[in-house]
Amino acid sequence: VFSSVTSVLNMSVFKDQFVLEDLIQELKKKSTALSFGPLQSNGHISVQGSFPAIQLLRDFLLLKAKSLSEKDKREESKSHQRPRRRVQQHRLTTETSNFVHGADQEKQVVVLDTDIYHYMKYFFSKMFLVGDDVVISEVTDGDITTVCIENAGRSSDAGQVLRVKEEIEKQSLKLHNFLRKERICFKEHTRDEKEGYKWVCGRLKSHYPRVLVLTYDTHIDVIGNSSEIFEFTKEVSR
């Protein structure tokens, strides 16, 4: 679980609508937990901070970009005099439509660190069991898991989708502040030795109820607070 990550934002897509320096100042006020580098001449800027904080910044920028694209669509319906702008905004709309599905909030997406997702799914499973009105699906790609929350039907409460998303984000942010991970690697261990490690981890699990143990063919991941996973891995080694 990374304590800090760095992302490079391409702010040039906003240059026709905003003074980029003013937009950066707005982002700094909104995202006080993040550290911003200098704005480059090509519109790129480096941002550093926690994964959830950068995720919230991304969501804010996607919504701002979507509002611009919708504004352009309304203007273009009255006039066809800006073909170059229309092509640029079509690309922008394509990129953001994967994340936001209309103003009625029928669909929401949360991007989580995969380790945090596994921990939440195990210890906070009720958060993902929200009844028949809302459907939650997830796709894991390495260190990133994308969780999609959407209405099950037209009669569903659109606000519930947003509430579920916000609850997941709030819990993931709390977990990010204290979760750590230790990895027990299987280098040249025999099959019996690997099974022995798994057996010991299973036996110790009852003594560490807030520790999550994930077993793989090549290693075992132990996720929890720093003191508990340190003691856990030390006992496994003994």
Short mmCIF file of all heavy atoms in Angstrom, two decimals, residues 9 22 40 47 49 82 107 120 140 144 154 157 188 190 192 222 229 231-232:
data_model
loop_
_atom_site.label_atom_id
_atom_site.label_comp_id
_atom_site.label_asym_id
_atom_site.label_seq_id
_atom_site.Cartn_x
_atom_site.Cartn_y
_atom_site.Cartn_z
N LEU A 9 -0.51 15.69 -14.59
CA LEU A 9 -1.76 16.14 -15.20
C LEU A 9 -1.47 16.94 -16.47
O LEU A 9 -0.55 17.75 -16.50
CB LEU A 9 -2.54 17.03 -14.23
CG LEU A 9 -2.89 16.45 -12.86
CD1 LEU A 9 -3.63 17.50 -12.04
CD2 LEU A 9 -3.72 15.19 -13.00
N ASP A 22 -4.86 30.31 -12.91
CA ASP A 22 -5.99 30.48 -11.98
C ASP A 22 -6.63 29.14 -11.64
O ASP A 22 -7.03 28.89 -10.49
CB ASP A 22 -7.04 31.41 -12.59
CG ASP A 22 -6.53 32.84 -12.77
OD1 ASP A 22 -5.53 33.18 -12.10
OD2 ASP A 22 -7.12 33.59 -13.56
N GLN A 40 4.21 23.59 -16.39
CA GLN A 40 5.11 23.62 -17.54
C GLN A 40 4.46 24.36 -18.71
O GLN A 40 3.24 24.55 -18.77
CB GLN A 40 5.47 22.19 -17.96
CG GLN A 40 6.07 21.34 -16.85
CD GLN A 40 7.39 21.89 -16.33
OE1 GLN A 40 8.21 22.38 -17.10
NE2 GLN A 40 7.58 21.82 -15.01
N VAL A 47 1.74 16.29 -9.67
CA VAL A 47 1.00 16.33 -8.42
C VAL A 47 1.39 15.13 -7.57
O VAL A 47 1.46 13.99 -8.08
CB VAL A 47 -0.53 16.30 -8.67
CG1 VAL A 47 -1.28 16.43 -7.36
CG2 VAL A 47 -0.94 17.39 -9.63
N GLY A 49 0.84 13.04 -3.70
CA GLY A 49 0.05 12.91 -2.48
C GLY A 49 -0.50 11.51 -2.35
O GLY A 49 -0.04 10.59 -3.04
N ARG A 82 -17.37 26.24 -35.52
CA ARG A 82 -16.13 25.94 -34.79
C ARG A 82 -15.78 24.47 -34.94
O ARG A 82 -15.79 23.71 -33.97
CB ARG A 82 -16.26 26.30 -33.32
CG ARG A 82 -16.49 27.78 -33.08
CD ARG A 82 -16.26 28.12 -31.63
NE ARG A 82 -17.20 27.39 -30.77
CZ ARG A 82 -17.07 27.33 -29.46
NH1 ARG A 82 -16.05 27.89 -28.87
NH2 ARG A 82 -17.96 26.68 -28.74
N LYS A 107 -24.66 6.20 -12.70
CA LYS A 107 -23.47 5.36 -12.63
C LYS A 107 -22.32 6.15 -12.01
O LYS A 107 -22.11 7.31 -12.35
CB LYS A 107 -23.08 4.89 -14.04
CG LYS A 107 -21.86 3.99 -14.10
CD LYS A 107 -21.62 3.54 -15.52
CE LYS A 107 -20.40 2.64 -15.62
NZ LYS A 107 -20.15 2.20 -17.01
N MET A 120 -11.23 -4.01 2.33
CA MET A 120 -12.61 -3.53 2.49
C MET A 120 -13.61 -4.65 2.20
O MET A 120 -14.60 -4.80 2.90
CB MET A 120 -12.87 -2.35 1.56
CG MET A 120 -12.16 -1.08 1.96
SD MET A 120 -12.46 0.28 0.78
CE MET A 120 -14.22 0.51 0.98
N THR A 140 -10.33 -5.76 -11.55
CA THR A 140 -8.99 -5.59 -11.00
C THR A 140 -7.96 -5.68 -12.10
O THR A 140 -7.96 -6.63 -12.90
CB THR A 140 -8.70 -6.66 -9.93
OG1 THR A 140 -9.62 -6.49 -8.83
CG2 THR A 140 -7.28 -6.53 -9.39
N ILE A 144 -4.54 -1.76 -9.26
CA ILE A 144 -5.71 -0.90 -9.29
C ILE A 144 -6.98 -1.73 -9.46
O ILE A 144 -7.04 -2.62 -10.30
CB ILE A 144 -5.62 0.13 -10.44
CG1 ILE A 144 -4.38 1.01 -10.28
CG2 ILE A 144 -6.87 0.99 -10.50
CD1 ILE A 144 -4.36 1.82 -9.01
N ARG A 154 -34.75 1.79 -13.64
CA ARG A 154 -35.13 3.20 -13.74
C ARG A 154 -35.80 3.72 -12.48
O ARG A 154 -35.77 4.90 -12.19
CB ARG A 154 -36.08 3.37 -14.93
CG ARG A 154 -35.40 3.12 -16.29
CD ARG A 154 -36.37 3.38 -17.43
NE ARG A 154 -35.73 3.17 -18.72
CZ ARG A 154 -36.36 3.30 -19.88
NH1 ARG A 154 -37.65 3.63 -19.90
NH2 ARG A 154 -35.72 3.09 -21.02
N ASP A 157 -33.34 4.89 -6.80
CA ASP A 157 -32.99 6.22 -6.33
C ASP A 157 -31.59 6.56 -6.81
O ASP A 157 -30.62 5.94 -6.40
CB ASP A 157 -33.07 6.24 -4.80
CG ASP A 157 -32.66 7.60 -4.24
OD1 ASP A 157 -32.54 8.56 -5.03
OD2 ASP A 157 -32.46 7.69 -3.02
N GLU A 188 12.79 -20.13 -3.60
CA GLU A 188 13.07 -21.48 -4.09
C GLU A 188 12.48 -22.51 -3.15
O GLU A 188 13.04 -23.59 -2.96
CB GLU A 188 14.58 -21.68 -4.25
CG GLU A 188 15.20 -20.74 -5.29
CD GLU A 188 16.69 -20.95 -5.43
OE1 GLU A 188 17.24 -21.76 -4.66
OE2 GLU A 188 17.30 -20.32 -6.31
N THR A 190 10.06 -25.42 -1.72
CA THR A 190 9.37 -26.57 -2.29
C THR A 190 7.87 -26.41 -2.09
O THR A 190 7.41 -25.53 -1.36
CB THR A 190 9.84 -27.86 -1.62
OG1 THR A 190 9.44 -27.84 -0.23
CG2 THR A 190 11.36 -28.02 -1.71
N ASP A 192 5.91 -28.39 -0.49
CA ASP A 192 5.57 -28.67 0.91
C ASP A 192 5.87 -27.48 1.81
O ASP A 192 5.11 -27.18 2.75
CB ASP A 192 6.35 -29.90 1.40
CG ASP A 192 5.83 -31.19 0.77
OD1 ASP A 192 4.70 -31.18 0.26
OD2 ASP A 192 6.57 -32.20 0.79
N VAL A 222 0.40 -9.91 3.66
CA VAL A 222 -0.21 -9.71 4.97
C VAL A 222 -0.53 -8.23 5.10
O VAL A 222 0.37 -7.39 5.06
CB VAL A 222 0.73 -10.17 6.10
CG1 VAL A 222 0.05 -10.02 7.45
CG2 VAL A 222 1.19 -11.60 5.89
N ILE A 229 1.06 -6.53 11.58
CA ILE A 229 1.63 -7.33 10.50
C ILE A 229 3.12 -7.62 10.75
O ILE A 229 3.63 -8.65 10.32
CB ILE A 229 1.44 -6.66 9.12
CG1 ILE A 229 2.17 -5.33 9.04
CG2 ILE A 229 -0.03 -6.49 8.80
CD1 ILE A 229 2.13 -4.72 7.65
N GLU A 231 4.40 -8.22 13.82
CA GLU A 231 4.37 -9.35 14.75
C GLU A 231 3.93 -10.63 14.03
O GLU A 231 4.46 -11.71 14.30
CB GLU A 231 3.42 -9.04 15.92
CG GLU A 231 3.91 -7.95 16.85
CD GLU A 231 5.19 -8.34 17.57
OE1 GLU A 231 5.38 -9.56 17.81
OE2 GLU A 231 5.98 -7.45 17.90
N PHE A 232 2.98 -10.51 13.14
CA PHE A 232 2.47 -11.67 12.41
C PHE A 232 3.58 -12.32 11.59
O PHE A 232 3.80 -13.54 11.68
CB PHE A 232 1.32 -11.23 11.50
CG PHE A 232 0.61 -12.37 10.81
CD1 PHE A 232 -0.54 -12.92 11.34
CD2 PHE A 232 1.10 -12.90 9.62
CE1 PHE A 232 -1.20 -13.97 10.71
CE2 PHE A 232 0.46 -13.95 8.97
CZ PHE A 232 -0.69 -14.48 9.53
#
